[in-house]
Structures are given as C-alpha cells and as structure tokens.
Amino acid sequence: MKTIESYEGFELGPIRPPSEASSLMLRVTRNCPWNKCKFCGLYKGEKFSKRPVRHVLNDIDAIRKCVDEIQADTCPADYAGTSPMVYVTAANWLGAGMKSIFLQDANTLIVKPDDLVKILNYLRRSFPSVERITSYARSTTVAKISDDDMRRLAEAGLNRIHIGMESAADEVLSFMKKGVDKETHILAGQKVKRAGIELSEYFMPGLGGREFSEANARETADALNQIDPDYIRIRTLAIPETTELNADCASGEFYPMGDVEVAQELLRFLQELEGIGSVVRSDHILNLLEEIDGQLPGDKANMTAPVRRFLGMEADEQVLYIVGKRIGVFSRLDDLQNPDLRTRVKQAMEEYGVTAENVNAFSSAIMKRFI
Ligand code: SF4
C-alpha cells in the first residue's frame, strides 16, 4: 500500500545552471529520474521522487511569508518559528530582485502537465512580478509531451527550459548512456521553440574523447542548426572520480582530451554553427575560454577569435594560460599580458611541478574539484 508522504519543510536541491544564480530555487522533484549518464556523478546513489504538489505549494507559501516579513521588518520577531534555510533563501532572492525562479531538480518536466500547471499558476499568483520561470528538462521527456501540453505550460508561465544536450553524436550519446539520440534531441528542441518557450541547450566539448571529437563537434552543431535555440551554452567535460567514465579512463576505454585538443574541437563546433540566431555563452568555470560570448550570426568571428588566439600561441604560453586559468589567477587570455599575474602562475607551476608533459593531468585534477 502506498504511504502518504508528510511535509518535512522547505527543500533545496543541489544545483542550478550558472545563469540562474539570482533565481529562487524551488524543488519540484528530487534527483534525476534517469541517473545513468557515465560522466555525471551528481545524483549517484540518490533515489528519484516527485514531491507532492501540496508540498511544493507549501514551500511557495513559506517563501512568500518570509519575503513579506523581511519587507515588513517583522522577521526577527517571527523568525523563531521559521526554518533558517527558508529565511536565507527568501532573503537572498529578495536581495537579487525577485525576478526569476528555477524549478529543481534534473528534469521537472517529468511531472504531469496538470500538476506542473497548478504549481506554475500558484507561483504566478504568489509572485506576480516574477519575469522568468525556468527548468531543466531531458529531451526524451520533452519529446513525449504533446504540443498542446507544452503550450499550456508556456501559458502558465514556464518561459525557459534548459536542456543538457551535451552531444548530438549518436555514438557519443550511446557510449555515455545518455538515454537519447540525435533525432530526439532535435524533436524536443523544436517542440520547446514551437511552444514559445525560450530554449537553452548545453554543449559539452570533450565528451567524445579523442575517438569521437570530430563527430561530437560536427553532429552537435548540425542538431543545433536544426533547432536554432535561444542560447547555446558551453560546459567542458570534467570527469569526477565517482563516475563510470572515470573507470573507463582507467581501463583505456575512453581517451580524454587535453585543453588544447578540446579547444580545437570547440573551434570546429563554432565554425559549423550556421543559419541560426542563437546567443552563445561560455558561462561555466570549467571552460578554459570564458570570453566566448556573442550572438550568431553577426558575432561568429568575435566568438571564434579567442579560440584561434589560444590555438595560435606558443606551446609554453598555452601551458602557462591553462595553469593560470585552472588555479583562478587568469580569467581571460588578456591576463597573459599582466606581469604580476604571470609571475604568480610561474611560481605555482614550480610549486606544483607542472610541466608541458603533465599539464593535462594537472588541469583535469583541478576541474574535478569544481563539480
Ligand atoms: S547528466 Fe542529467 S540526465 Fe544524465 S544522469 Fe546527470 S542529471 Fe541525469
């Protein structure tokens, strides 16, 4: 017999996209219903569940109450009965202007459209000034939702969906157990756009390893050219110790690429984007070249410029930049012109014993710490 889950208070999931840093996090589901991608250790060992709609509405009420109390300056008196997490969440969101909300965790669109519409309507009524409500979604889930239901979600206020495409090369998707193919990625992306919902697609350079690098760039660009998403976001592969992919690296089944090879793949990918008007962002700390930024088609030359500049540098300058970026001393290529920063990076290279031969291992070890 199914037991009725009791409300245990406000919940927060573990992650959000970098572009949702100012958003209120509202947990609608817990963890990931797929949880099989080889490169992802985020929800390993965690069970997926949908939160009862009533509990999500309770969370919305709790945030509304805290926001009201903070605004009325009555919070210290009432705070004793409120969970600190709700208070901090409400205070941070209020400070950020209360403009956007992100629905957690990995795939909110798996919730029945009727239930999601109920949550969205309640959110809109509770926070009428909110401009954006967004969510992660898997392409396989979106592909199964009818156009009518997608439009209902859009009308209820869901106005941006983030899809972790990562790759559209079928051999990469299959090896990585992503549970989707290129055709489904395209179908899902086009469906989101048809519903009038903004679409943000993520590309993961390096996911094909050495063997499928060319396909990873070419096939993903081709799928995105057929979708024309509002945003294309770059998030370079990092391989946490706990993942199946890490074991594949150890057994020789997967050959990870170094930063220079990943930059070559990225250049190929950017060059193949054609006939679309997407904004391209490199807004993730795992990316070596975060200055890639612009809108297609006009900014294409500017977008590829930093990649070409990096690839055109002498090998020892590339190593210096890689180390400086990974340890957080450099944030962009122009920082190489700063003598003080260069000295700091050279000192760090000496301290950690980084050379051209081991720079890839050094970079990979640091990247693991960011996820
Ligand atoms: S990458 Fe996304 S879909 Fe794959 S296991 Fe991780 S959270 Fe789930």
Side-chain angles (χ1 to χ4, degrees):
M1 199 172 68
K2 214 172 158 190
T3 51
I4 296 173
E5 188 184 332
S6 59
Y7 181 63
E8 301 289 343
F10 184 82
E11 288 191 27
L12 267 185
I15 64 155
R16 51 148 179 82
S19 56
E20 302 293 341
S22 305
S23 301
L24 169 71
M25 305 293 130
L26 185 75
R27 197 174 205 189
V28 177
T29 64
R30 303 180 183 103
N31 309 312
C32 172
W34 176 248
N35 214 2
K36 291 180 187 158
C37 301
K38 277 188 175 185
F39 57 90
C40 174
L42 198 59
Y43 298 105
K44 282 285 168 284
E46 302 293 337
K47 199 166 159 260
F48 173 78
S49 62
K50 295 176 192 172
R51 294 186 71 208
V53 174
R54 185 65 250 163
H55 295 186
V56 181
L57 304 191
N58 286 349
D59 280 7
I60 297 170
D61 288 343
I63 292 289
R64 180 71 260 177
K65 182 169 177 283
C66 266
V67 165
D68 289 343
E69 287 176 350
I70 296 167
Q71 284 176 325
D73 213 11
T74 56
C75 199
D78 292 351
Y79 178 53
T82 311
S83 136
M85 187 162 59
V86 190
Y87 176 76
V88 171
T89 303
N92 286 342
W93 190 43
L94 188 58
M98 291 176 57
K99 296 276 182 253
S100 55
I101 296 169
F102 176 68
L103 308 179
Q104 294 179 306
D105 282 339
N107 185 20
T108 316
L109 268 78
I110 204 161
V111 170
K112 275 195 237 141
D114 284 353
D115 288 347
L116 205 44
V117 164
K118 214 177 280 173
I119 291 167
L120 289 163
N121 285 336
Y122 200 76
L123 267 178
R124 288 286 177 195
R125 276 201 303 277
S126 303
F127 303 107
S129 63
V130 159
E131 293 165 4
R132 200 176 79 212
I133 303 180
T134 72
S135 171
Y136 276 134
R138 295 189 68 230
S139 289
T140 34
T141 303
V142 172
K144 288 180 198 149
I145 300 173
S146 71
D147 277 340
D148 279 352
D149 281 335
M150 285 301 289
R151 264 191 294 274
R152 285 173 62 220
L153 294 172
E155 280 160 18
L158 182 66
N159 43 19
R160 183 180 296 174
I161 289 179
H162 300 270
I163 292 184
M165 171 179 275
E166 331 296 11
S167 174
D170 281 336
E171 52 274 67
V172 177
L173 293 168
S174 156
F175 179 78
M176 289 295 161
K177 299 185 182 165
K178 183 75 188 155
V180 64
D181 59 12
K182 179 180 178 183
E183 194 187 342
T184 309
H185 268 326
I186 296 170
L187 208 144
Q190 291 176 341
K191 184 175 281 189
V192 172
K193 294 269 312 202
R194 245 191 338 268
I197 298 175
E198 269 190 342
L199 175 63
S200 191
E201 294 268 12
Y202 289 75
F203 167 53
M204 192 174 273
L207 194 64
R210 285 202 182 128
E211 193 178 358
F212 297 121
S213 174
E214 199 268 333
N216 196 36
R218 177 175 30 84
E219 295 299 314
T220 312
D222 180 56
L224 291 167
N225 289 342
Q226 294 184 55
I227 296 170
D228 191 8
D230 298 276
Y231 294 90
I232 295 170
R233 292 192 146 95
I234 298 160
R235 181 199 182 283
T236 307
L237 173 71
I239 309 173
E241 305 284 348
T242 54
T243 57
E244 201 179 330
L245 190 58
N246 193 53
D248 285 350
C249 292
S251 68
E253 271 189 75
F254 182 79
Y255 299 96
M257 297 194 294
D259 283 305
V260 175
E261 293 164 298
V262 169
Q264 286 162 344
E265 179 181 309
L266 187 54
L267 182 60
R268 191 174 295 135
F269 167 77
L270 292 171
Q271 284 171 332
E272 300 232 358
L273 293 173
E274 287 293 344
I276 55 176
S278 312
V279 169
V280 179
R281 293 262 153 83
S282 176
D283 53 355
H284 201 287
I285 195 163
L286 290 172
N287 298 337
L288 187 71
L289 301 165
E290 289 186 58
E291 55 263 70
I292 298 165
D293 188 23
Q295 181 160 15
L296 294 165
D299 297 334
K300 190 162 174 175
N302 287 343
M303 270 178 220
T304 54
V307 196
R308 283 185 274 110
R309 183 175 159 195
F310 172 75
L311 291 172
M313 288 180 344
E314 296 292 332
D316 54 351
E317 279 294 279
Q318 289 177 337
V319 171
L320 189 76
Y321 182 70
I322 292 166
V323 175
K325 177 68 171 62
R326 294 302 179 210
I327 64 174
V329 174
F330 295 150
S331 58
R332 49 200 306 120
L333 289 169
D334 282 348
D335 291 339
L336 281 165
Q337 315 306 320
N338 183 318
D340 294 340
L341 298 184
R342 289 179 70 94
T343 303
R344 279 175 58 193
V345 177
K346 282 181 181 166
Q347 283 168 348
M349 285 177 69
E350 265 186 50
E351 190 182 327
Y352 297 118
V354 187
T355 63
E357 285 67 44
N358 64 18
V359 68
N360 287 339
F362 175 81
S363 179
S364 157
I366 299 224
M367 287 168 79
K368 286 178 206 285
R369 296 187 197 165
F370 291 127
I371 41 175

